[in-house]
Amino acid sequence: LGCFSPPPMLAFASSPLSFSAPALARPAAALRGAASMGLAPPVEKSQALPFAERPAKLDGTLVGDVGFDPLGLSNILPIEWMREAELKHGRVCMLAVVGYIVVDKGLRAPGAEKLVAATSSFTAHDAAVQSGHMWALLLACGLFEIVGAGAIASTLNGGDRKPGEFALTGGFDRDAAKLERFKLAEIKHSRLAMMAFSGLVTQDALSHGATGFPYF
């Protein structure tokens, strides 16, 4: 057996098989080879939408970035501006959800007990306009917007300020890891609050404010 040699036809037929081995190389090695030859790397998929490509500007540098941009807005608007808007609306909605509920449960601002005693959260806007208190709220919101405009401009012009930061860390910035966890918790709660407030107001509006908390 040790001296056995295959017939010429068998040796000829088996020779292509020996040369097909490189085609069975591991994918990782093939990818490295493709990269070395200047070929484009495989497309990375979005974490939020695995069936879609990850948007180029959503590269994971922002806290809570999971590649969710089905409308492609990151290709139109500055990503820093959109994160600033997301955080601002999220923070407002977190306060709004709590405020909407506590007003319907009977809480009133000092001095406004008699003026809006029978007002619900659903009718509070019209009541504030009629009483003139909406002007004070408009002034307060305007001042916040003016202060925030300078901060946003600094971010968009390449400054060191990150979107949504106003140096109000409460001392949590001493621990970088803990601060990152709080930032992630904030953006998650912000997104949840925006959806929750939209649903809460819609549900309350269906009954014209007659249902009250818990709005069903």
Side-chain angles (χ1 to χ4, degrees), residues 2 12 14 41 44 61 70 89-90 95 104 110 127 132 145 150 161 175-176 196-198 211 216:
F12 179 78
S14 62
E44 184 177 350
T61 56
H89 286 82
L95 291 170
D104 277 348
E145 287 295 321
R161 175 186 177 271
D175 188 335
F197 188 71
S198 299
T211 304
F216 59 84

Side-chain angles (χ1 to χ4, degrees), residues 14-215:
S14 62
S15 59
L17 297 178
S18 63
F19 289 99
S20 64
L24 303 178
R26 292 181 300 175
L31 292 177
R32 287 195 297 269
S36 64
M37 292 186 292
L39 299 179
V43 176
E44 184 177 350
K45 295 298 183 180
S46 166
Q47 181 181 348
L49 303 172
F51 54 84
E53 296 181 11
R54 178 184 60 80
K57 293 185 179 180
L58 299 182
D59 55 2
T61 56
L62 294 176
V63 176
D65 175 14
V66 290
F68 183 81
D69 184 18
L71 299 180
L73 297 178
S74 60
N75 297 322
I76 304 173
L77 300 170
I79 191 67
E80 296 84 4
W81 185 84
M82 289 194 293
R83 172 48 64 94
E84 186 84 28
E86 183 180 31
L87 283 171
K88 178 185 290 186
H89 286 82
R91 290 164 179 171
V92 169
C93 283
M94 284 190 284
L95 291 170
V97 169
V98 176
Y100 202 98
I101 294 174
V102 297
V103 167
D104 277 348
K105 295 299 291 182
L107 182 66
R108 297 291 184 269
E113 295 88 349
K114 295 181 180 180
L115 180 64
V116 292
T119 301
S120 67
S121 292
F122 184 76
T123 60
H125 177 274
D126 293 345
V129 171
Q130 293 176 0
S131 65
H133 287 78
M134 183 60 72
W135 289 107
L137 182 60
L138 184 63
L139 177 61
C141 291
L143 291 176
F144 279 114
E145 287 295 321
I146 292 173
V147 173
I152 297 172
S154 174
T155 299
L156 296 179
N157 292 329
D160 295 333
R161 175 186 177 271
K162 295 182 179 180
E165 290 190 355
F166 291 95
L168 301 174
T169 61
F172 292 111
D173 56 337
R174 299 172 185 173
D175 188 335
K178 182 180 292 187
L179 182 61
E180 287 300 308
R181 290 199 302 271
F182 278 119
K183 286 182 177 180
L184 180 59
E186 180 186 35
I187 194 64
K188 286 185 175 181
H189 284 82
S190 293
R191 292 165 178 169
L192 177 61
M194 286 187 281
M195 297 179 65
F197 188 71
S198 299
L200 185 153
V201 174
T202 301
Q203 181 70 18
D204 199 23
L206 292 176
S207 65
H208 300 282
T211 304
F213 182 81
Y215 312 109

